[in-house]
Amino acid sequence: MGESAPLSQTTIVSPNTSDPDWWRSAVVYQIYIRSFADGDGDGTGDLAGVRSRLGYLRDLGVVAIWFTPWYASPLADGGYDVADYRAINPSFGELAQAEALIREALELGIRTIIDVVPNHVSDQHPWFRAALAAAPGSPERERFWFRDGRGPNGDGIPTRWVSDFQGETWTRTTNPDGTPGQWYLHLFTPEQPDLNWNHPDVRREFEDVLRFWFDRGVAGVRIDSAALLVKDENLPEVPENPLPGQHPTVDRDELHDIYRGWRAVADSYAGARSLVGEIWLPDIERFAKYLRPDELHTAFNFDFMARPWDAANLRASIDTTLAAHAPVGAPSTWVLSNHDVTRPVTRYGREDSSFAFTAKRFGTPTDLELGTSRARAAALLTAALPGSLYIYQGDELGLPEAEDIPAGLIQDPMHFRSNGVDPGRDGCRVPLPWRGTAAGLGFGPAGAAEPWLPQPESWARLTVEEQESDQGSMLCLYREALRIRRHVAALTESDFAWVEAGDGVLCFSRGPGFLSMTNLSIAPIELPEHDSILLSSTQFVFGRLPPDSTVWLRTQH
């Protein structure tokens, strides 16, 4: 994957070690770099744009920023097809700028978390290019999953595994003489060949990648598709109902040894360098094993994010999540969306407000006014829960999903691999609106090229500039919620207890003096006894909390 570049003399930084447990209650802001801010005016977000907006992130009140992949990549899957882990994508900047960003953010009290994609690399990666040039059975091919096809001519795919992006998981190569060759495995797109994690080269390389970035001051790593790395080398078909640990590509027991090695690397650095896993598992006990003290620090809570706007559903998810984390002493994570998921304002305004990739379709109606009310309430609900909070860029502005992207501009492979049925994920990746009403809405400097994806005209009312002067805006709600979260002692602890308040109401205390109440019923409700109102997602109706609202109360008990 390339040689480790020497550190610039001016870029050696070390995250503040005064709080080794910062990750346990951190507010982390996810940056999809192509769409955050454009510094050089070419229509694509970049490191210069992020550096120019660090003050915005400080004022928002986050303690860490998580970057989706910023590495050299052909961008066949939004950067999750990495060609070089030690180089920045030229459209985003260069390594020296990343080092400067890490340093400048830390000076503002903001740590940097980067994405690592260990399941696969780009088909342009040097390792894979060498594998294609080498013969079957060569050492170069052993780093991947090359196999002969089935049948006398090798025309049959080695397995019938289904891609996470729909379709087949094997692509056939072509020999130098033009004849069909072996097949290679890719759980995602053909441009993302899967690595063979049984190979020692792969394990050594990724531990070195961690060191490369930790040496540059990175405070944490988010691990993409963390439960998929190890495959059953016998390549069996997927059983109808696989037992825990028996799926050929998901949640293999060998994964834990890999992450113990990663944890040892992280723990060898001063301060806490956190490891965050992207782990989708229905088995809570299996999920919790990844969070043992010698493995990952935290893992994303996708169950809560996917639940509908329903009191019983959300309460069940909260209970399940807290119960899963308690035995291993790990903090829960709470998130409402990310770069793959329909934005809350749109999702919560639909008849079915849950989320599933297989259910995404064009033309699904939504009530944006209702969705906005629920998204405001959900923002306070999640910010009051114990653990760490992740905010996807633009959710603090109340941006809806951009669902009117012209067909010719859609770029997401999920759309194309579904034969155009799935609208894809571009709708939550549209560049942010910063100021004004002119084309681009301040995404880039004056005279900049049009953003790489078009922004809806209605977003002119949702710019940062507009919302900063409106105390009732989504942005001001987020800023105040995060300010309170920093300064109210109960919200930094792990205490949590439900307070019964009737059907359709989620009410809980976070230790003495703090109560959060969310009304998911169809009628206004009376507030419990309290000393004062700290923050509310909406105005009260005759002193009562309206439906689809959350309030934070200061109490005596």
Side-chain angles (χ1 to χ4, degrees), residues 253-460:
D253 289 337
E254 300 92 330
L255 279 164
H256 298 285
D257 183 57
I258 293 170
Y259 293 133
R260 289 187 188 98
W262 287 30
R263 182 60 175 263
V265 172
D267 288 349
S268 70
Y269 285 80
R273 310 294 175 108
S274 68
L275 303 175
V276 187
E278 182 195 27
I279 300 174
W280 297 69
L281 289 180
D283 188 313
I284 295 302
E285 291 186 5
R286 299 283 300 185
F287 172 84
K289 287 183 177 181
Y290 290 89
L291 303 178
R292 289 175 290 196
D294 62 345
E295 294 191 42
L296 306 183
H297 293 76
T298 60
F300 281 165
N301 180 5
F302 292 108
D303 179 77
F304 182 83
M305 179 177 64
R307 295 282 184 137
W309 185 250
D310 171 79
N313 260 286
L314 293 176
R315 178 163 178 164
S317 182
I318 293 169
D319 283 340
T320 299
T321 299
L322 296 178
H325 288 74
V328 289
S332 306
T333 63
W334 307 100
V335 59
L336 295 176
S337 73
N338 60 34
H339 62 290
D340 291 332
V341 174
T342 304
R343 286 193 180 273
V345 164
T346 296
R347 189 170 79 246
Y348 287 145
R350 290 180 167 160
E351 182 176 356
D352 180 2
S353 55
S354 63
F355 177 80
F357 285 108
T358 56
K360 291 189 70 173
R361 293 294 183 269
F362 287 101
T364 305
T366 188
D367 181 339
L368 291 182
E369 183 177 356
L370 175 64
T372 298
S373 296
R374 290 175 170 177
R376 289 173 65 91
L380 295 194
L381 169 63
T382 53
L385 291 168
S388 57
L389 174 67
Y390 283 74
I391 300 169
Y392 177 51
Q393 65 179 43
D395 282 355
E396 80 279 12
L397 302 177
L399 300 182
E401 189 86 352
E403 298 188 292
D404 57 354
I405 299 173
L409 297 180
I410 294 176
Q411 299 190 25
D412 184 30
M414 289 191 78
H415 168 71
F416 300 107
R417 287 176 66 84
S418 71
N419 295 317
V421 173
D422 184 338
R425 300 163 294 175
D426 290 337
C428 62
R429 299 176 177 183
V430 171
L432 298 189
W434 287 95
R435 64 181 181 277
T437 58
L441 300 175
F443 176 63
E450 292 186 6
W452 70 281
L453 284 175
Q455 301 156 312
E457 292 182 6
S458 61
W459 283 17

Side-chain angles (χ1 to χ4, degrees), residues 88-204:
I88 298 296
N89 192 307
S91 64
F92 302 155
E94 56 188 25
L95 182 60
Q97 288 178 295
E99 293 172 338
L101 189 157
I102 294 166
R103 181 178 65 252
E104 292 163 1
L106 196 58
E107 290 170 353
L108 297 178
I110 301 173
R111 295 168 172 84
T112 297
I113 298 171
I114 60 166
D115 227 311
V116 169
V117 190
N119 178 70
H120 49 263
V121 293
S122 167
D123 62 353
Q124 300 304 305
H125 190 283
W127 276 9
F128 191 69
R129 293 171 69 89
L132 288 179
S138 63
E140 291 85 354
R141 291 200 171 190
E142 290 178 358
R143 294 168 173 160
F144 298 91
W145 292 95
F146 282 86
R147 291 293 186 273
D148 294 331
R150 296 181 177 181
N153 298 316
D155 295 333
I157 57 175
T159 72
R160 292 185 294 275
W161 297 347
V162 177
S163 169
D164 281 22
F165 283 179
Q166 305 184 46
E168 295 178 350
T169 56
W170 295 88
T171 291
R172 197 167 193 185
T173 63
T174 301
N175 293 323
D177 62 1
T179 60
Q182 288 189 303
W183 299 71
Y184 69 88
L185 173 68
H186 50 85
L187 293 186
F188 295 88
T189 70
E191 294 83 6
Q192 296 165 287
D194 280 37
L195 290 163
N196 176 10
W197 274 86
N198 297 326
H199 198 294
D201 284 359
V202 176
R203 298 198 181 202
R204 283 194 298 266

Side-chain angles (χ1 to χ4, degrees), residues 111 213 464 533 535:
R111 295 168 172 84
W213 288 106
V464 172
I533 295 173
L535 186 60

